[in-house]
Amino acid sequence: MDIALKKSLELTAQKARIGIIKSIHSAKAGHPGGSLSCVDILTYLYFAKMNIDPKNPQKADRDRFVLSKGHAAPALYAVLAERGFFDPELLTTLRQIGSILQGHPDMKNIPGVDMSTGSLGQGISAAVGMALSAKHFGDDFKVYTVLGDGEIEEGQVWEAAMFAANKNLSNLTAFVDYNNLQIDGTIEEVNSAMPIDKKFAAFNWHTIIIDGHDFEQIEAALNEAESIDKPVAIIAKTIKGKGVSYMENAVNWHGAAPNDELAAQALDEIYARLAEME
Amino acid sequence: MAEVKNVATRVGFGTALVELGKKRDDFIVMDADLAAATQTGMFKKAFPERFYDCGIAEQNMVGIAAGIAATGKKVICSSFAMFAAGRAFEQIRNSVGYPHLNVIIAATHAGISVGEDGATHQCNEDIALMRTIPGMTIINPADETEAKKAVYAAMEHDGPIYMRFGRLAVPVVFDDDYKFEIGKGVELREGNDVTIIATGLMVKEALEAHDLLKAEGINARVINMATIKPLDTEIVLKAAKETGAIVTAEEHSVIGGLGSAVSEYLSEVYPTPVVKLGVNDEFGHSGPAVKLLDEFGLRAVNIAEKVKKAISLKK
């Protein structure tokens, strides 16, 4: 991997983390844990992978992204803002009346959001539909989606997985944000979908397991995906709450906003890391 | 007497798809393993490369349709009303309705006239469910002619549409000159004593009821309300003002369908007696469709009874 690109992505991901904390803190609600776990993947996609144009968010041949785990909206918004789709100042309007930044992604009003999501299990079907549309109508764009590891307990995910492989949608890549925590506990405690990779493999997907915080591995997996004539599932092992010490691997930070003091602590940690990097 | 042709509205739907397929290739048709029954099979046979079978997975089918629509393409997805409006309700609400995508949901085998399959397949709740989704358009054609014209109109419409078709072959009421417009009711018979607002296969029954009542000296206006949402409030208000009593007739639950839509509207703007004929708050059961329509009171004679009740409620 290009060293300069890697450094730049690492900086960007830290800035996006600042956006996540600030937006959720100002909203006094939101989902920091699962936002922080998938933000590196989103950063790579929007800054190093996808064919997109922040000045023309609706351009027809753009690659599509569907945040199937829609509750990680703060991560998507922070990355979109950082990428220039809208003013980063808007991040602190998250979840407020009158803001375009709804609690879950809204494609009608947010520049750069390709699909409205939030009800788990539904985003992947929409991503499959986009990939099918591209293949059917001869368009070249690719479709990326990020699923939660808890989300894949939804049966619709497997309906979509079955169809995507059956129709050989090789233009579709799905990440599973495998942070091993959902609201009611660990994945194993609640309703284990493990082994996740073998399940996707059984549905005739190509599977790759990576560290979802390592840009080199994210890049390698996406490059591998392009050489495969099947839909690809990238099982990204992640840490819920990654980058904020007291949120890491802590289930209580799934859907809670930090108070002023804890938000300041989180931001101090991230700014310190940024300073080290720069 | 001229021989009346009996054709199911689902056949009108399938026929229209094939006609559209000959004219344009910018849309996709999907089904969930019921192509032979819903009649998307006609399109599948004519244009196999433009048809996708999602298998028995209606929720995913609706989500895929949303994704296709999100890329700016037109898509029609079809299943039985029970499994489209019922099983995939939340997908229709969140993946199609909320983003207001151009998806046509073509639901066949609606209502009690499914017949022998019985209660699990007799969807009398679909209109009620779909009405609750903001921005959803609901069309329930009365016959083959209207079914075809409604499909053509739906293809030009911006926003999600739920179309309701039946399994049972029903008389063709309209000729090719019939003008269909989304959101417009059509007055089929004049009358100033009472108005019968009917939808779907009950339109034919309403026309018969008109004749029955005429023999008794009652002049009943008959309106075909193919579009249930958005409701043609203009024609409803005019009927309320001019006839003073309304009977609604639908092959759907009396809870949440056309009767509710008319009642909800009039009660706030021009309170008028509205007597609802439909499937009462109960499940259906197996049997030949025509016998079930008799048993559940979805016939011209039943409309005539309701008309008398409505007239008795006039102030």
Side-chain angles (χ1 to χ4, degrees):
Chain A
M1 187 180 202
D2 182 78
I3 303 288
L5 173 65
K6 187 180 177 189
K7 189 173 178 194
S8 147
L9 290 170
E10 283 169 352
L11 285 170
T12 303
Q14 294 307 324
K15 288 176 187 163
R17 283 186 163 85
I18 291 167
I20 291 169
I21 296 301
K22 283 187 173 174
S23 62
I24 294 174
H25 172 244
S26 63
K28 299 186 172 62
H31 298 86
S35 296
L36 292 164
S37 64
C38 71
V39 72
D40 297 311
I41 295 164
L42 270 58
T43 298
Y44 189 89
L45 287 171
Y46 278 93
F47 283 82
K49 192 69 196 173
M50 288 168 60
N51 168 27
I52 43 158
D53 179 3
K55 291 192 186 66
N56 183 13
Q58 295 295 318
K59 75 168 185 153
D61 68 342
R62 70 190 186 279
D63 290 333
R64 263 69 170 184
F65 176 75
V66 178
L67 185 64
S68 200
K69 50 171 290 186
H71 56 280
L76 178 60
Y77 299 163
V79 169
L80 288 173
E82 198 64 37
R83 188 70 177 79
F85 280 91
F86 52 82
D87 184 352
E89 294 285 314
L90 282 178
L91 290 175
T92 48
T93 67
L94 174 70
R95 291 179 170 235
Q96 303 296 328
I97 290 171
S99 172
I100 60 166
L101 300 182
Q102 294 296 298
H104 293 83
D106 170 14
M107 67 183 285
K108 292 193 305 297
N109 295 308
I110 309 174
V113 172
D114 291 321
M115 184 65 205
S116 301
T117 52
S119 179
L120 296 177
Q122 296 193 25
I124 185 174
S125 292
V128 167
M130 291 171 180
L132 179 70
S133 175
K135 284 232 165 177
H136 180 87
F137 292 106
D139 295 320
D140 285 334
F141 64 79
K142 293 188 164 49
V143 183
Y144 301 93
T145 184
V146 173
L147 294 149
D149 52 359
E151 179 182 11
I152 64 174
E153 290 161 7
E154 287 280 6
Q156 186 177 348
V157 169
W158 302 104
E159 293 183 1
M162 194 186 299
F163 181 94
N166 187 266
K167 301 296 184 282
N168 204 36
L169 300 179
S170 55
N171 52 348
L172 173 68
T173 299
F175 286 87
V176 178
D177 180 12
Y178 179 20
N179 60 35
N180 197 28
L181 285 173
Q182 57 188 117
I183 297 175
D184 283 349
T186 65
I187 302 296
E188 289 103 324
E189 283 167 351
V190 177
N191 188 17
S192 175
M194 293 166 197
I196 297 169
D197 60 321
K198 288 195 170 58
K199 283 198 175 57
F200 275 96
F203 280 78
N204 291 324
W205 286 50
H206 179 75
T207 62
I208 306 168
I209 299 175
I210 62 164
D211 173 344
H213 301 302
D214 181 330
F215 288 113
E216 290 188 30
Q217 292 190 36
I218 294 170
E219 179 171 272
L222 285 167
N223 287 342
E224 181 179 334
E226 285 183 358
S227 68
I228 304 290
D229 194 27
K230 281 180 174 190
V232 174
I234 301 174
I235 319 304
K237 289 184 182 169
T238 58
I239 293 167
K240 198 154 183 167
K242 172 75 174 177
V244 175
S245 58
Y246 61 86
M247 287 186 181
E248 289 193 357
N249 290 317
V251 73
N252 54 315
W253 288 104
H254 171 88
N259 60 21
D260 293 351
E261 190 187 337
L262 286 171
Q265 183 188 329
L267 291 172
D268 283 349
E269 287 181 18
I270 301 167
Y271 281 124
R273 205 173 305 120
L274 260 179
E276 256 173 55
M277 288 175 179
E278 286 167 340
Chain B
M1 192 179 147
E3 199 178 318
V4 178
K5 196 170 64 153
N6 284 311
V7 186
T9 51
R10 62 182 164 132
V11 173
F13 160 59
T15 306
L17 285 184
V18 173
E19 288 304 311
L20 279 167
K22 288 175 188 164
K23 288 179 191 146
R24 50 196 280 187
D25 61 2
D26 60 344
F27 68 98
I28 285 174
V29 175
M30 298 196 298
D31 207 299
D33 197 40
L34 289 169
T38 63
Q39 304 301 315
T40 61
M42 293 165 73
F43 183 88
K44 177 185 179 181
K45 190 177 170 198
F47 308 103
E49 73 290 353
R50 290 152 62 184
F51 173 86
Y52 292 93
D53 205 319
C54 296
I56 309 165
E58 298 80 7
Q59 300 168 51
N60 182 47
M61 175 174 73
V62 169
I64 289 173
I68 293 168
T71 65
K73 301 299 196 294
K74 204 88 186 177
V75 56
I76 295 144
C77 60
S78 189
S79 182
F80 288 0
M82 190 74 252
F83 315 125
R87 190 185 197 101
F89 170 78
E90 202 228 313
Q91 284 74 14
I92 296 174
R93 184 209 186 264
N94 277 324
S95 287
V96 175
Y98 177 49
H100 202 67
L101 291 167
N102 285 335
V103 173
I104 297 172
I105 298 142
T108 69
H109 294 61
I112 201 93
S113 64
V114 162
E116 291 81 352
D117 275 351
T120 55
H121 287 53
Q122 291 161 334
C123 188
N124 298 317
E125 308 88 1
D126 54 331
I127 296 172
L129 288 164
M130 292 297 107
R131 277 186 65 223
T132 63
I133 299 175
M136 179 63 73
T137 293
I138 304 169
I139 306 175
N140 184 32
D143 75 348
E144 183 203 20
T145 306
E146 190 166 56
K148 285 194 277 194
K149 288 175 185 275
V151 172
Y152 301 143
M155 285 295 283
E156 306 303 325
H157 180 81
D158 191 31
I161 299 194
Y162 180 82
M163 306 191 77
R164 185 181 210 245
F165 303 107
R167 168 178 183 257
L168 179 67
V170 294
V172 177
V173 181
F174 304 117
D175 59 31
D176 288 342
D177 295 334
Y178 176 76
K179 295 266 184 290
F180 174 84
E181 194 181 336
I182 293 174
K184 293 286 179 204
V186 178
E187 187 177 311
L188 302 177
R189 294 287 185 276
E190 292 179 0
N192 283 317
D193 295 330
V194 63
T195 300
I196 304 165
I197 304 177
T199 189
L201 60 73
M202 294 307 290
V203 171
K204 180 66 167 63
E205 301 295 329
L207 293 172
E208 282 183 29
H210 169 90
D211 295 342
L212 291 175
L213 291 161
K214 195 161 210 172
E216 297 184 43
I218 298 169
N219 289 314
R221 183 177 299 186
V222 176
I223 292 170
N224 170 28
M225 196 67 84
T227 308
I228 294 165
K229 189 180 180 184
L231 186 69
D232 183 350
T233 52
E234 198 179 318
I235 203 170
V236 171
L237 183 59
K238 186 165 178 278
K241 286 180 174 171
E242 292 176 1
T243 72
I246 302 225
V247 169
T248 59
E250 61 194 310
E251 189 207 4
H252 179 276
S253 172
V254 290
I255 299 170
L258 171 68
S260 295
V262 170
S263 304
E264 289 158 13
Y265 169 67
L266 285 177
S267 68
E268 291 195 11
V269 298
Y270 194 82
T272 306
V274 177
V275 177
K276 293 182 287 184
L277 178 68
V279 177
N280 292 319
D281 189 16
E282 60 184 322
F283 290 105
H285 56 74
S286 292
V290 290
K291 290 191 176 174
L292 291 173
L293 292 171
D294 293 340
E295 184 189 332
F296 283 81
L298 300 170
R299 291 299 194 192
V301 290
N302 310 107
I303 296 175
E305 283 167 26
K306 298 283 188 189
V307 161
K308 287 168 193 168
K309 183 178 173 190
I311 289 172
S312 76
L313 292 169
K314 278 169 95 164
K315 295 214 175 83

